Amino acid sequence: MAYDLITMGRIGVDLYPLQTGVPLPQVTSFGKFLGGSASNVAVAAARLGRQAAVITRTGDDPFGTYLHEALKGFGVDDRWVTPVPGLPTPVTFCEVFPPDDFPLYFYRQPKAPDLEIEAHELDLDAIRDARVFWVTGTGLSEEPSRTATLAALAHRARAGTTVFDLDWRPMFWTDPGAARPFYTEALRHTTVAVGNLDEVEVATGVREPHAAARALLDAGVELAVVKQGPKGVLAVNSAGESAEVPPLPVNVLNGLGAGDAFGGCLVHGLLAGWDLEKTMRHANAAGAIVASRLECSSAMPTPDEIEAAVTAGAVR
């Protein structure tokens, strides 16, 4: 069976305050949600009707059990989510200060289980057969995940659509300055690169959006997607087509899951064969909808919600 989407990377438990504008020391109640970028992208695509699975690892603990249950509840195949004895399932806290301040606190010590993905345990045939395969920059930050990520990319050999979410988290790297060669190697095997201005700069050394998109194309990808924050998103492909789409107006509650919603809808648009502008408009709308909600995974929008936001030109 070939999946529409297989993602590979982070998973964890998001513990988000149920009070906004309150510093973490004063928060008294939290909501518990599935988190982790690769897992959230799979959830977002499943919410749009795509058959999705995730490759990751958890602790052998109750939080790990919760993540299996949550993935299955969202319709994401968890067959490649395995436990790592002795390592706790990661948890992530945030503070919520709308519209643009959402500090994150990652608890991934002594090591996150999702960085213990081993190359020899991968189902390489399933990875090659998936219509879309999605990896992240975090997966390159430590061994054995780094070798496993690059092995999966090399085996897939640019079959179908292979997406590299640049996903720059410097706190996950022992030496952040050593990241670029690994990003360069991953780009050789991918057809789509997605990142914000900080992330494209890490990958290419270039920050100006159009120049960064060209640098990503020169590195070997067929589609470069550069998120520009308040200026919206720029997409450029190797055929010379481009689309620059402004963000949708939205009252932001929590912006942390917007990029993952964007990613899931990007996958949906690529699979549907949409043109660049339609894909970017719908992905922008998906991200804006999630930014208007507290949680990430359970906030992922339905096709009707995205269509309504695109039609209205704003998130109501």
Side-chain angles (χ1 to χ4, degrees):
M1 175 182 63
Y3 291 84
D4 290 326
L5 171 67
I6 296 177
T7 68
M8 180 174 172
R10 277 205 316 277
I11 197 169
V13 177
D14 288 344
L15 295 174
Y16 284 0
L18 299 181
Q19 299 142 286
T20 62
V22 178
L24 207 53
Q26 280 75 57
V27 173
T28 58
S29 56
F30 296 85
K32 180 183 71 185
F33 310 101
L34 179 146
S37 63
S39 302
N40 281 337
V41 169
V43 169
R47 186 66 57 87
L48 297 174
R50 298 299 178 177
Q51 189 170 36
V54 60
I55 301 167
T56 190
R57 306 197 74 182
T58 70
D60 189 9
D61 55 23
F63 273 149
T65 301
Y66 161 70
L67 293 174
H68 277 278
E69 293 173 351
L71 286 170
K72 287 184 281 193
F74 290 127
V76 176
D77 195 321
D78 67 337
R79 70 181 63 195
W80 296 304
V81 182
T82 57
V84 180
L87 290 180
T89 298
V91 297
T92 302
F93 290 88
C94 79
E95 293 174 300
V96 180
F97 296 104
D100 58 3
D101 187 18
F102 309 102
L104 276 171
Y105 304 91
F106 293 99
Y107 290 79
R108 291 168 61 86
Q109 290 81 25
K111 185 179 185 181
D114 54 59
L115 294 174
E116 285 291 305
I117 299 172
E118 297 273 2
H120 68 86
E121 296 176 339
L122 296 174
D123 187 338
L124 293 174
D125 289 339
I127 288 170
R128 185 176 179 85
D129 291 343
R131 297 178 68 193
V132 179
F133 180 52
W134 179 290
V135 300
T136 74
T138 295
L140 301 173
S141 65
E142 281 197 45
E143 294 289 4
S145 172
R146 177 185 298 151
T147 293
T149 299
L150 294 174
L153 289 172
H155 183 83
R156 184 167 169 84
R158 296 167 61 89
T161 298
T162 305
V163 184
F164 181 20
D165 175 3
L166 302 179
D167 183 41
W168 176 240
R169 303 284 183 177
M171 71 286 290
F172 295 164
W173 290 76
T174 303
D175 178 9
R180 186 170 297 160
F182 300 113
Y183 273 66
T184 300
E185 177 63 16
L187 286 168
R188 287 200 315 113
H189 300 288
T190 54
T191 62
V192 180
V194 184
N196 61 30
L197 296 178
D198 290 336
E199 291 166 339
V200 297
E201 185 175 20
V202 169
T204 68
V206 181
R207 188 174 182 86
E208 194 282 322
H210 289 269
R214 173 48 55 191
L216 290 168
L217 294 172
D218 289 344
V221 306
E222 297 169 7
L223 172 62
V225 180
V226 181
K227 301 174 187 175
Q228 306 176 79
K231 287 189 64 180
V233 61
L234 168 69
V236 183
N237 66 23
S238 55
E241 300 168 323
S242 65
E244 195 159 8
V245 176
L248 243 59
V250 58
N251 290 323
V252 175
L253 176 59
N254 183 358
L256 292 175
D260 301 331
F262 180 100
C265 192
L266 169 65
V267 168
H268 181 61
L270 292 172
L271 289 172
W274 293 346
D275 63 37
L276 275 187
E277 183 165 348
K278 180 176 180 178
T279 301
M280 293 305 113
R281 287 195 183 280
H282 282 69
N284 258 0
I289 290 167
V290 172
S292 73
R293 299 169 176 173
L294 174 65
E295 64 272 25
C296 294
S297 53
S298 55
M300 295 302 173
T302 64
D304 287 346
E305 288 173 324
I306 295 171
E307 200 62 53
V310 171
T311 301
V315 177
R316 302 301 186 192

